[in-house]
Amino acid sequence: MSETKQSTAETFEFRAEMKQLLHLIIHSLYTHEEIFLRELISNASDALNKIRFRMLTDRDVVDADAERRIDIKLDKNTNTLILTDTGIGMSRDDLMSKIGTVASSGTVDFVTELKKKGGPVDAQLIGQFGVGFYSAYMVADEITIDTRHADPDSQGLRWASDGTGSFTIEETDRTERGTTITLHLKEDKGEFAEEWRVKQIIKKYSNFVDFSIHVEGEEVNTVDALWHKSKTDVTEEQLTEFYKFVSGDFEEPLGHLQVNIEGRISFKSLLFIPKKAPRGLYQEDYNYGVHLYSTKVFIQDDAKNLLPEYARFVKGVVDTEDLPLNVSREVTQASPVLAKIRKVLTTKILGMLKEWSVEESDRYDTFFREFGALFKSGLQTEFEHRDEMIELFRFESTAKDAGDYVSLEQYVDRMQSGQKEIYYVLAESRTGAELNPNLEYFKANDLEVLLMVEPVDAFIVPGMPKYKDFELKSVETADLDLQKDKKKKKGAPTKQASKKIIDRFKSILADRVEDVKASDRLVDSAATLVVGKAGMDSQMERMMKMMDENFEGSKKVLELNLQHTLIKNLIALGKDEKNDGLIETAVLQIFEGAMLAEGSLTTPQEFVRRMTDIMIEATGKDN
Ligand code: ADP
Ligand code: MG
């Protein structure tokens, strides 16, 4: 430490607005007051960058060979934190003009306003509003700056102030280039003289500063700013290490993406997709995992606007030169710079997923299994990349085993000649989908059907009515344009008999159905409910009911399999009036049975009572 040459300290008054600001800083209560250290390290890093730049062309500076680094010394006994950098240092003029005057009047207004609101102030805001150096007065009651500028003829100087009314400047015999800032900590801020605490803060906010930071001689920021390196200089191990650091994950990532953009907007980014969905991914207070840096200085760790919501599983870092450090969180969030970065990153992420889907389908399927539902939900908010997203969607299918995926493209490639539509069934599970009687025709005719078994599917299907030239059609949709190879099936009843039994169903069910029709799509089942002209797919209807208990579903069309033994039996029974009671019971049972199968029978008591009657009859026959 340098000695004072002689006691020729000059005293200067702070300007009125500085006094006001300092008063607020000193007397407010804070959350996150630890950010003062980030501000001091950020200043040191700036100073180191300046000397590095100058020395590219001019080596005639003080201590030309000094290592560029930051050193922090702590003393619990005297309650001090001393931060030294070998940066460019400050001249008298710097101390007067740069340290002496900060804070635009806007900043003062802002802080005043904040204080009026009462309660503790978030120091993040103070730091980001350009108070920088002065934020140290949140924790210190006396600050000294010992400095010597890099110019060879510079003079050692000491600035000192308790942050109230004035500061002093005096000459010293400091010989080393750079700056030493000594904080005498307030009595209750002793934690900032604790080694573990200081290290913790550095790891949190300044881990990727491009110069080594030493606390009590030990290097603390061991993780490199990987995203500043060229892709070829980064090893797989480093990537994994870094991923674990930013994500808190213990596993290695599923993949990563390094982006380096220079132009009207410049940024570097290193992003990761985890193997497993991060905890709380679907909860409201989920912490977005992309950390925002401004030229290697940490700004915030949950930058929401850098990625679309449906990509919120992405972890990593974005570092841009185009965002000033001293902007508030609010300003940052709304910044057009972030909007541009987001646009680029969205394109890049979709591009990477596309590449996986084509070249590494296992990796892609792993991704989709874990994040597919969230990704699909993006269809409701993403307009620019809709088509790319739809290409990336995957579904289970009747053509594949459970757990295997197909894309719409693969579906279309496999379509039968003459098939004009893409068929799907919405269901709660694969088993539920496969047992849907409406699937029977498709199975019998080898027509592939997409099994949409994710809850989100019911919401996205209306958003993609077509893929290429093919309409997506629910197997429940009433007027399916089925292949017209309707040869009269073996054992079908006559036209007249058919009409008669259909009319019988109609009169018994009356307004409980929209219509009753002969079915083309049933093979094994006797009856099924399908969607009427204006109706909704039953699964979708169920989702609507879950969200709105007053939601009124539309009436369904009951389709009958006229070749089915049960229906043929009813036709036969119909010839004798004495069977009317049994026929009525059977019709109601068939109808409610179809409702039960699709999950819409809310009061099964009547159904069970009728079934009991029928079983009594059947079991009592031979007694
Ligand atoms: P900002 O960093 O946004 O300019 P600060 O209040 O943090 O605002 O710092 C004010 C100025 O003081 C800096 O711009 C810089 O010129 C000077 N300064 C602060 N710390 C140092 C340092 N360690 N070395 C050299 N200059 C410094
Ligand atoms: Mg600063």
Side-chain angles (χ1 to χ4, degrees):
M1 175 98 30
S2 31
E3 288 296 312
T4 311
K5 227 185 201 174
Q6 63 229 124
S7 50
T8 52
E10 280 182 81
T11 304
F12 304 88
E13 282 286 304
F14 283 118
R15 286 184 27 206
E17 72 213 35
M18 254 324 281
K19 278 189 191 166
Q20 203 186 342
L21 177 70
L22 280 163
H23 182 85
L24 290 172
I25 292 176
I26 290 168
H27 292 100
S28 298
L29 278 175
Y30 298 96
T31 58
H32 295 110
E33 60 196 3
E34 76 226 26
I35 64 102
F36 82 88
L37 190 56
R38 176 190 72 176
E39 294 299 321
L40 296 184
I41 289 175
S42 148
N43 286 347
S45 165
D46 288 348
L48 288 160
N49 272 320
K50 282 181 195 156
I51 188 67
R52 179 160 65 185
F53 186 72
R54 172 158 167 179
M55 286 179 69
L56 292 174
T57 51
D58 172 16
R59 288 190 57 83
D60 186 18
V61 295
V62 177
D63 290 347
D65 298 322
E67 186 192 344
R68 286 186 291 266
R69 60 185 257 174
I70 298 167
D71 272 282
I72 296 174
K73 293 264 184 294
L74 305 165
D75 190 338
K76 270 191 277 190
N77 297 324
T78 54
N79 221 16
T80 48
L81 181 154
I82 303 166
L83 189 149
T84 300
D85 66 68
T86 51
I88 194 146
M90 280 180 271
S91 63
R92 173 179 283 267
D93 196 39
D94 291 336
L95 286 176
M96 290 297 292
S97 67
K98 294 190 174 136
I99 293 286
T101 52
V102 286
S104 63
S105 57
T107 310
V108 180
D109 290 348
F110 170 77
V111 179
T112 315
E113 189 57 34
L114 213 64
K115 243 201 116 186
K116 261 195 253 154
K117 281 188 200 145
V121 176
D122 189 339
Q124 301 252 24
L125 285 178
I126 298 221
Q128 284 158 9
F129 261 82
V131 184
F133 168 77
Y134 282 97
S135 66
Y137 281 105
M138 291 188 291
V139 301
D141 50 23
E142 176 74 43
I143 301 179
T144 351
I145 304 173
D146 281 288
T147 187
R148 183 173 173 201
H149 195 269
D151 288 342
D153 60 353
S154 67
Q155 168 69 50
L157 294 166
R158 175 174 299 164
W159 177 102
S161 177
D162 63 3
T164 53
S166 60
F167 60 91
T168 58
I169 295 181
E170 62 192 296
E171 295 187 351
T172 64
D173 54 9
R174 180 183 175 109
T175 53
E176 323 87 74
R177 182 191 76 214
T179 303
T180 298
I181 295 183
T182 304
L183 303 188
H184 182 262
L185 298 167
K186 293 180 185 173
E187 220 168 304
D188 57 340
K189 305 297 174 194
E191 62 182 292
F192 300 114
E194 299 275 357
E195 206 175 316
W196 69 268
R197 179 71 172 117
V198 168
K199 285 180 177 169
Q200 179 198 48
I201 301 167
I202 294 170
K203 283 206 178 294
K204 180 165 178 192
Y205 294 104
S206 311
N207 207 24
F208 305 115
V209 166
D210 207 11
F211 303 95
S212 62
I213 305 172
H214 303 254
V215 176
E216 298 292 318
E218 192 189 324
E219 189 168 342
V220 182
N221 57 333
T222 45
V223 182
D224 285 344
L226 287 188
W227 62 92
H228 277 268
K229 297 189 170 182
S230 80
K231 289 180 196 181
T232 45
D233 289 347
V234 178
T235 68
E236 209 59 37
E237 267 150 6
Q238 286 174 316
L239 283 172
T240 301
E241 184 80 355
F242 177 67
Y243 164 73
K244 287 179 180 169
F245 174 80
V246 285
S247 68
D249 199 349
F250 296 106
E251 270 198 88
E252 44 189 51
L254 183 62
H256 78 277
L257 178 70
Q258 196 170 351
V259 181
N260 196 340
I261 301 287
E262 304 223 338
R264 288 207 4 234
I265 161 143
S266 300
F267 70 94
K268 295 181 163 67
S269 176
L270 187 52
L271 300 180
F272 299 87
I273 294 185
K275 269 193 185 139
K276 287 251 150 54
R279 240 187 312 146
L281 184 63
Y282 291 98
Q283 276 155 25
E284 285 231 13
D285 56 356
Y286 172 69
N287 253 347
Y288 284 48
V290 177
H291 298 202
L292 179 63
Y293 281 75
S294 170
T295 23
K296 291 180 188 169
V297 177
F298 178 88
I299 297 189
Q300 75 186 87
D301 60 6
D302 59 344
K304 287 197 168 60
N305 289 11
L306 283 169
L307 289 171
E309 245 186 283
Y310 63 82
R312 62 178 183 263
F313 46 81
V314 172
K315 303 276 177 188
V317 167
V318 170
D319 190 342
T320 177
E321 296 160 17
D322 297 332
L323 208 60
L325 239 190
N326 58 350
V327 294
S328 77
R329 199 167 249 267
E330 284 74 13
V331 173
T332 308
Q333 292 285 11
S335 158
V337 174
L338 293 207
K340 283 181 197 146
I341 294 176
R342 169 193 171 122
K343 221 169 134 82
V344 176
L345 290 180
T346 305
T347 308
K348 294 275 179 190
I349 289 169
L350 290 173
M352 174 175 75
L353 292 175
K354 165 94 189 169
E355 204 175 295
W356 289 2
S357 75
V358 175
E359 282 156 28
E360 294 172 272
S361 60
D362 281 353
R363 174 144 58 163
Y364 186 73
D365 288 356
T366 305
F367 157 77
F368 206 82
R369 225 158 263 134
E370 209 56 34
F371 303 110
L374 177 61
F375 185 65
K376 280 176 180 169
S377 74
L379 195 67
Q380 288 168 317
T381 48
E382 177 67 75
F383 300 107
E384 206 181 321
H385 300 284
R386 284 181 63 82
D387 293 348
E388 288 152 86
M389 283 186 90
I390 290 173
E391 290 289 351
L392 286 167
F393 288 173
R394 295 291 180 271
F395 305 96
E396 295 217 4
S397 155
T398 51
K400 293 272 176 181
D401 292 338
D404 285 350
Y405 286 131
V406 303
S407 65
L408 290 173
E409 189 182 13
Q410 288 164 338
Y411 181 101
V412 166
D413 284 349
R414 274 199 292 267
M415 264 168 43
Q416 291 189 14
S417 65
Q419 188 181 338
K420 295 187 190 67
E421 285 157 349
I422 296 170
Y423 302 117
Y424 68 86
V425 55
L426 283 165
E428 270 169 14
S429 66
R430 173 142 185 148
T431 322
E434 282 174 332
L435 292 176
N436 188 321
N438 295 331
L439 221 60
E440 289 168 7
Y441 170 89
F442 299 88
K443 274 191 214 151
N445 288 284
D446 265 335
L447 287 163
E448 180 172 1
V449 176
L450 298 175
L451 305 171
M452 300 201 176
V453 294
E454 300 259 23
V456 67
D457 290 333
F459 294 103
I460 61 155
V461 162
M464 39 179 215
K466 271 192 156 190
Y467 173 74
K468 295 193 174 155
D469 286 335
F470 306 102
E471 243 177 276
L472 272 81
K473 278 258 164 145
S474 163
V475 297
E476 288 184 20
T477 310
D479 57 349
L480 265 178
D481 183 19
L482 298 173
Q483 267 97 328
K484 301 278 187 227
D485 58 342
K486 284 192 215 156
K487 290 177 221 119
K488 192 169 180 267
K489 289 183 192 154
K490 248 203 337 221
T494 63
K495 250 193 183 157
Q496 210 186 354
S498 302
K499 185 175 174 334
K500 203 173 156 207
I501 189 68
I502 286 173
D503 287 345
R504 196 72 181 263
F505 268 83
K506 279 185 193 169
S507 74
I508 293 168
L509 296 174
D511 60 1
R512 293 182 75 181
V513 291
E514 186 188 289
D515 202 358
V516 180
K517 286 179 174 169
S519 180
D520 286 323
R521 76 190 85 213
L522 294 175
V523 177
D524 304 318
S525 303
T528 189
L529 284 166
V530 299
V531 183
K533 287 255 152 37
M536 234 181 223
D537 181 279
S538 61
Q539 178 70 10
M540 214 172 306
E541 208 161 76
R542 195 132 25 103
M543 305 279 300
M544 298 298 293
K545 277 187 193 149
M546 260 157 56
M547 290 186 300
D548 172 9
E549 54 185 301
N550 296 322
F551 181 83
E552 282 280 344
S554 57
K555 281 184 207 167
K556 294 290 178 66
V557 173
L558 182 70
E559 287 195 359
L560 300 177
N561 178 359
L562 296 176
Q563 287 82 40
H564 197 278
T565 314
L566 177 57
I567 306 293
K568 287 200 277 191
N569 286 352
L570 291 180
I571 291 173
L573 284 174
K575 286 170 188 149
D576 193 334
E577 265 176 42
K578 77 171 194 317
N579 293 323
D580 281 0
L582 179 56
I583 292 178
E584 179 163 348
T585 305
V587 167
L588 290 171
Q589 212 60 2
I590 289 168
F591 172 63
E592 290 195 357
M595 285 177 78
L596 189 64
E598 72 161 24
S600 61
L601 186 66
T602 46
T603 47
Q605 291 80 2
E606 278 291 292
F607 180 83
V608 172
R609 190 188 53 72
R610 264 184 255 111
M611 188 170 70
T612 309
D613 287 349
I614 294 168
M615 285 196 294
I616 288 171
E617 185 131 327
T619 51
K621 266 219 169 92
D622 297 328
N623 289 352

